[in-house]
Amino acid sequence: MRLLVVNPNTTASMTALIGGAAGAVAGPDVTIEAVNPASGPVSIESHYDEALAVPGVLELVARGGYDGYVVACFGDPGVLAARELTGAPVVGIAEAAMRTAAYLGRTYSVVTTLGRTIGHSWDVARAGGLADHCAGMHACEVPVVELETDPRARARILAEAEHALATDRSDVIVLGCAGMADLADWLSAELGVPVVEGVGAATLEVEKLVRLGLRTSKRGEFAPPPAKERGPSLLV
């Protein structure tokens, strides 16, 4: 089985981290390739960033050649469009993480990077039918690219997770950024509750769908996009 894990931003060190998180949970017969677009934003922290990132995600998915795809950004950018381009399963890390958390407790809280992204995270939760399980969303106000460089980042994420558990009285923490993928085990030990990171959750979700022989339905909404003139810079 070959799975492509797409980091929608162009930060290579984060792509390596994401690939490691996916590889750590994948089955022994699964080959993980982690990639990022050649151009686009170095991090995704706004609707504008997401819009700029989506063409790169779609270009990578449109190349084909894989049994399934993970989109490794908590806004799940381009996931629906990617499902139109391939029959292979495509899963975003936000939906996968929140769905996994809903199996583990009555409610979960999301701890993410910047507060300005919280509204969109609620949109993803509502679209996946998971908002009723979410007790709250909280931002540690650490920019994505500083997760790797700010020596205070871990402490700030831990403090925000502790605040979320106390405020929301939730049972599970969901990490709201792919750049936090390496913190789940440490945070779980510190907090005493399950901590779900979306890269691993999405990787195993795709692997499960492939093993079940299931593919994206082409009957309706996720049929290939209608043929039309779109200009030379677009994919289809």
Side-chain angles (χ1 to χ4, degrees):
M1 187 189 306
R2 299 179 70 230
L3 303 184
L4 188 69
V5 181
V6 180
N7 171 19
N9 73 45
T10 58
T11 300
S13 58
M14 190 171 296
T15 303
L17 183 152
I18 287 167
V25 301
D29 60 339
V30 178
T31 298
I32 298 290
E33 184 177 351
V35 297
N36 56 257
S39 62
V42 297
S43 63
I44 299 173
E45 298 169 314
S46 66
H47 295 294
Y48 181 67
D49 288 339
E50 180 169 312
L52 292 177
V54 167
V57 172
L58 299 183
E59 181 180 3
L60 290 165
V61 173
R63 293 176 185 174
Y66 294 87
D67 298 298
Y69 300 86
V70 171
V71 177
C73 171
F74 203 74
D76 290 354
V79 166
L80 300 183
R83 288 175 181 161
E84 295 180 336
L85 299 181
T86 178
V90 180
V91 176
I93 66 169
E95 182 179 1
M98 290 188 276
R99 200 169 294 285
T100 299
Y103 296 140
L104 303 176
R106 172 67 67 175
T107 59
Y108 64 84
S109 296
V110 175
V111 175
T112 190
T113 51
L114 301 185
R116 66 176 297 159
T117 68
I118 284 176
H120 184 54
S121 296
W122 275 113
D123 290 342
V124 175
R126 293 186 187 99
L130 294 160
D132 286 348
H133 297 278
C134 185
M137 298 202 184
H138 305 261
C140 63
E141 299 300 345
V142 177
V144 171
V145 294
E146 294 181 17
L147 292 171
E148 299 177 283
T149 61
D150 186 344
R152 302 167 298 170
R154 280 188 170 223
R156 291 172 68 176
I157 294 166
L158 174 59
E160 199 58 46
E162 290 172 335
H163 172 72
L165 292 172
T167 302
D168 300 341
R169 302 184 63 82
S170 51
D171 307 312
V172 183
I173 291 291
V174 169
L175 297 179
C177 179
M180 298 178 180
D182 59 339
L183 303 181
D185 290 343
W186 168 70
L187 283 168
S188 184
E190 292 287 329
L191 297 168
V193 299
V195 176
V196 181
E197 64 84 12
V199 176
T203 298
L204 289 179
E205 196 69 31
V206 172
E207 183 178 330
K208 177 190 75 175
L209 294 170
V210 174
R211 293 195 190 283
L212 289 171
L214 298 173
R215 293 174 63 81
T216 301
S217 175
K218 297 301 171 183
R219 180 183 176 95
E221 181 177 346
F222 296 131
K228 64 182 70 173
E229 188 172 335
R230 290 183 168 88
S233 64
L234 299 183
L235 295 170
V236 290

